[in-house]
Amino acid sequence: MRVKDVAAVGCAGLAVLAIAGCGAGRTGGGSGGAGLVVGTTDKVTSLDPAKAYDNGSLLAETQVYQFLLNFPPGQATPQPDAADKCGYSAPTVYTCTLKPGLKFANGDPLTAKSVKFSFDRMVKINDPQGPAALLANLDHTDAPDDKTVDFTLKKANDQTFAAILPTQASAIVDEKVFPADAILDDDAIVKAKPFSGPYTISSYDKNKLVEYQSNPGYNGLFGKPQNDAVTVKYYGEAANLKLDVQQGNIDVAWHTLAPTDIDSLRGSDKVTVHQSPGGDTRYLVFNLNTMPGGNPAQKLAVRKAVAVSVDRDALAKDVWKGTWTPLYSPVPQGLPGATQPFKDIYGAKPDKAAATKLLADAGVTAPVELNIQYNTDHYGQTSSEEYAAIKSQLEATGLFKVNLQSTEWVSYQKARSTDGYPVFQFGWFPDYPDADDYLTPFFGPDNFLRNHFSDPKITAELQAEVTEPDPAKRAAVLATLQHDLMADYLPTVPLLTGNQIAVAGKNVQGVDKTLDPSSKFRFGVLSK
């Protein structure tokens, strides 16, 4: 949403890292150094990669699982992790050769058969909360020997497949531990130690306290962690997370500090605020089956009327204090191929007259009752203020009556994927830094949103942009795709895009390395 889970990013809210000196008696990192303490409001959905597509789960997966390819700190091009090399051996066959002697922390061998099992399992389970949609172009996986993996793709020359291999859909799991057709419980995973990443989990109290230890058997891209251990503490309220950061009771607060918290920390002489461009987005999702409207044309008119009634500038400035900016496409600015079709088609400012005409022309009687669900423990406490502002903006037109309700994240994930909400908040943190990551997971058949959107025209355009090797031609296809989505379908309404912000104590090293386009927060680069 990473939820990639923002988030997830993947599958997420504002990517915020705040670091302060730890409490008395705790010593710093460096190779062989003692551990760090991390605090977060994100919740783990599952340690089983087949079920996890969110920021909280990605945080854990990044540390404990290995991937064929991964993103080096500070870079956006994937490099070999468990693999020794990867590349196309035929137009529809992507081949990876594994490093020799790989093992899971429990001693089980990690071979090509493990990789095949992992991908077969992901596709077979296809959990509605999981990331299997990222593998839509995968036809089948073969392991002709212990070191070779062949991915046969449905469409040739997939320009994104290498970037999908470091994502949550591609974590390598132990075939001797995980069932082939069912989700494995977190406690069973921790007990079995099927981890081959930089860390293992030594103690696990889900969404309360988790302890990680560096994995001496890790043989991959990131090398030896700069600390021996990391403890993750989970918070129910961002205010308490901020308080512990200020008082030095934790070293790291990852997801999510309120905009006012960031402002106050900018003035502290004990910390430094780091900022880098981010790919996180926030948007509204409409369930095309259960949203208001008597037919598809009326439902589209309702979506468009909502979209042109929201004041994105006001949300960015008044609610988010400039830490987020208006978004006019599913794809944020800064990525190759990104355009702003919503702005071009409907304008950048709210337009009550246009919204009124859209509803009237479709025969929709105003006011339209909208039941909007939002979440605060995953997308941040500021979501309450954000959605109160959206309610106020929509109702000020006289065209809508808005009912708001907030739900805890684990329940939220289940309900939104099973037709529980007609309209709901969602956010995204990129799985990989490419425009396709903001398109295929949401608008392809059987997409991650589970909002019943699918259209042959859009599917064809998605396939075209994925397989076009010429950058200029691909940019043109992406522009057409974004325009068509916003003009003719609008299954989601883009609202805001955010930055990655880190607040670090003066004695903490490596913060800038983990603030990169991959949105992967790596424990191993931090030290004191």
Side-chain angles (χ1 to χ4, degrees):
M1 154 2 90
R2 346 196 240 183
V3 153
K4 338 203 340 199
D5 188 292
V6 93
V9 35
C11 269
L14 178 63
V16 177
L17 168 63
I19 303 178
C22 58
R26 196 176 291 127
T27 56
S31 297
L36 297 163
V37 180
V38 175
T40 183
T41 60
D42 280 345
K43 299 294 189 292
V44 174
T45 299
S46 176
L47 291 179
D48 189 329
K51 192 177 180 63
Y53 202 11
D54 57 89
N55 258 331
S57 301
L58 176 63
L59 181 66
E61 290 180 10
T62 296
Q63 323 310 326
V64 301
Y65 292 115
Q66 203 165 10
F67 302 78
L68 289 170
L69 302 178
N70 219 323
F71 293 107
Q75 298 184 34
T77 302
Q79 299 295 326
D81 187 12
D84 183 57
K85 61 180 179 179
C86 291
Y88 276 100
S89 55
T92 58
V93 181
Y94 193 84
T95 299
C96 291
T97 304
L98 271 64
K99 291 181 170 75
L102 294 174
K103 290 187 177 183
F104 295 98
N106 58 17
D108 292 342
L110 191 165
T111 68
K113 293 179 181 178
S114 308
V115 177
K116 172 177 166 53
F117 173 84
S118 301
F119 281 82
D120 288 349
R121 177 178 185 268
M122 180 68 66
V123 172
K124 183 174 184 178
I125 292 177
N126 192 24
D127 190 278
Q129 296 182 53
L134 288 168
L135 301 177
N137 194 31
L138 177 61
D139 185 78
H140 64 273
T141 306
D142 295 307
D145 58 55
D146 282 350
K147 291 184 180 180
T148 306
V149 182
D150 291 327
F151 298 100
T152 299
L153 308 181
K154 298 172 185 176
K155 299 292 182 179
N157 302 313
D158 187 336
Q159 302 303 298
T160 68
F161 193 74
I164 289 171
L165 292 181
T167 70
Q168 287 181 276
S170 305
I172 302 171
V173 301
D174 187 345
E175 70 272 30
K176 295 184 179 181
V177 172
F178 288 81
D181 57 359
I183 299 299
L184 188 60
D185 176 78
D186 283 7
D187 289 334
I189 294 173
V190 172
K191 183 178 180 181
K193 295 289 189 291
F195 307 128
S196 62
Y199 293 85
T200 64
I201 296 175
S202 56
S203 177
Y204 189 75
D205 188 359
K206 186 170 185 174
N207 291 329
K208 293 181 180 178
L209 198 70
V210 179
E211 296 179 358
Y212 294 81
Q213 294 287 331
S214 62
N215 178 11
Y218 172 63
N219 179 14
L221 174 67
F222 300 132
K224 183 178 180 180
Q226 294 299 300
N227 55 73
D228 288 340
V230 175
T231 298
V232 179
K233 181 179 180 182
Y234 292 85
Y235 290 77
E237 300 288 340
N240 294 332
L241 178 61
K242 181 200 174 189
L243 184 62
D244 271 0
V245 166
Q246 286 178 314
Q247 294 180 347
N249 296 326
I250 63 173
D251 299 302
V252 179
W254 172 252
H255 282 197
T256 298
L257 294 174
T260 51
D261 295 338
I262 297 168
D263 275 348
S264 67
L265 290 169
R266 289 185 191 278
S268 171
D269 59 2
K270 296 180 180 179
V271 298
T272 303
V273 175
H274 303 261
Q275 181 168 322
S276 69
D280 292 1
T281 60
R282 298 173 78 91
Y283 51 95
L284 275 171
V285 180
F286 290 82
N287 184 305
L288 303 194
N289 283 4
T290 62
M291 67 166 290
N295 55 56
Q298 288 189 341
K299 291 180 178 182
L300 177 59
V302 170
R303 297 196 297 273
K304 288 185 175 182
V306 169
V308 301
S309 298
V310 174
D311 189 336
R312 292 164 180 78
D313 280 326
L315 294 177
K317 295 175 183 176
D318 299 339
V319 176
W320 289 103
K321 313 301 181 187
T323 57
W324 292 77
T325 56
L327 179 65
Y328 298 103
S329 167
V331 183
Q333 289 296 292
L335 291 175
T339 59
Q340 299 190 84
F342 186 93
K343 187 176 183 180
D344 297 335
I345 298 166
Y346 305 106
K349 301 296 183 182
D351 191 336
K352 178 181 176 180
T356 303
K357 187 174 188 303
L358 283 164
L359 295 179
D361 288 351
V364 178
T365 301
V368 177
E369 186 169 5
L370 292 175
N371 297 318
I372 302 179
Q373 209 83 10
Y374 70 97
N375 168 271
T376 58
D377 65 317
H378 185 71
Y379 294 121
Q381 293 294 324
T382 308
S383 291
S384 294
E385 186 179 348
E386 177 184 9
Y387 276 80
I390 290 172
K391 171 182 168 72
S392 178
Q393 292 172 4
L394 293 177
E395 291 187 339
T397 66
L399 302 174
F400 302 98
K401 173 66 175 71
V402 178
N403 305 310
L404 295 177
Q405 182 150 356
S406 178
T407 309
E408 182 270 336
W409 177 245
V410 175
S411 298
Y412 192 93
Q413 274 281 64
K414 293 178 181 178
R416 68 91 189 162
S417 60
T418 54
D419 294 343
Y421 307 141
V423 189
F424 58 94
Q425 173 193 24
F426 228 60
W428 188 246
F429 62 95
D431 296 291
Y432 50 95
D434 185 277
D436 176 74
D437 191 45
Y438 296 85
L439 298 168
T440 295
F442 308 106
F443 307 117
D446 194 28
N447 64 70
F448 170 67
L449 294 178
R450 307 284 172 169
N451 68 333
H452 306 288
F453 174 77
S454 182
D455 184 86
K457 178 182 178 180
I458 295 300
T459 298
E461 292 176 355
L462 287 169
Q463 292 173 348
E465 62 90 1
V466 166
T467 57
E468 175 53 64
D470 182 271
K473 292 180 180 178
R474 184 170 186 243
V477 176
L478 285 167
T480 299
L481 172 57
Q482 291 167 83
H483 178 276
D484 290 348
L485 280 167
M486 295 294 97
D488 302 327
Y489 302 97
L490 209 67
T492 68
V493 172
L495 296 174
L496 300 166
T497 183
N499 296 304
Q500 291 193 85
I501 298 174
V503 184
K506 305 296 184 181
N507 63 335
V508 179
Q509 307 297 317
V511 177
D512 291 328
K513 290 182 179 180
T514 199
L515 298 179
D516 61 35
S518 76
S519 291
K520 287 198 171 191
F521 177 45
R522 310 164 187 88
F523 291 163
V525 301
L526 297 175
S527 63
K528 296 187 294 182

